[in-house]
Amino acid sequence: ESIAMEAFARALAQLPTIIADNGGFDSSDLVAELRALYAQGAINKGIDMELGKVADMESLGITESFMVKRQVLVSAHEAAEMIVRVDDIIKAAPRKREVDNRPC
């Protein structure tokens, strides 16, 4: 269980890197600066995708409700669970029947 939680946390930590890369910015510098600010307690910091720098999200008017974040995480979990279930179903597929050609 703890391994799964750690993997999930690592996946969430990759989001700023992926967003910065998709925007064409240097993700290593931005994410390093963002993590340093988080460590100092600046929890309202995020990546300003228009300027390609770390900025205060509250001052930019960027907010997300807890309910939206919660639903996104629930949906991601459900999607991952369905993928695992489909994989299990495929692995457990019944064998093909062989036709019995023996005379009666």
Side-chain angles (χ1 to χ4, degrees):
E1 219 175 272
S2 65
I3 293 171
M5 291 177 72
E6 184 180 340
F8 190 68
R10 273 196 313 267
L12 289 177
Q14 291 298 315
L15 289 175
T17 303
I18 294 167
I19 291 170
D21 284 342
N22 286 345
F25 300 114
D26 183 13
S27 63
S28 59
D29 288 341
L30 288 171
V31 172
E33 183 181 352
L34 191 60
R35 286 186 179 156
L37 289 168
Y38 284 163
Q40 296 171 3
I43 60 171
N44 290 332
K45 299 295 182 182
I47 300 174
D48 182 346
M49 293 304 292
E50 289 183 8
L51 302 176
K53 64 179 188 174
V54 175
D56 186 347
M57 296 292 106
E58 191 173 359
S59 68
L60 292 174
I62 299 172
T63 58
E64 294 181 72
S65 71
F66 171 74
M67 296 302 288
V68 171
K69 287 182 181 179
R70 181 174 178 262
Q71 188 57 47
V72 166
L73 290 174
V74 167
S75 297
H77 172 268
E78 289 173 353
E81 186 178 357
M82 290 301 272
I83 290 169
V84 170
R85 284 185 182 172
V86 167
D87 191 41
D88 287 342
I89 291 170
I90 291 172
K91 286 180 184 176
R95 291 187 212 162
K96 293 182 180 180
R97 288 185 163 178
E98 292 182 20
V99 178
D100 189 9
N101 293 328
R102 292 183 291 174
C104 296

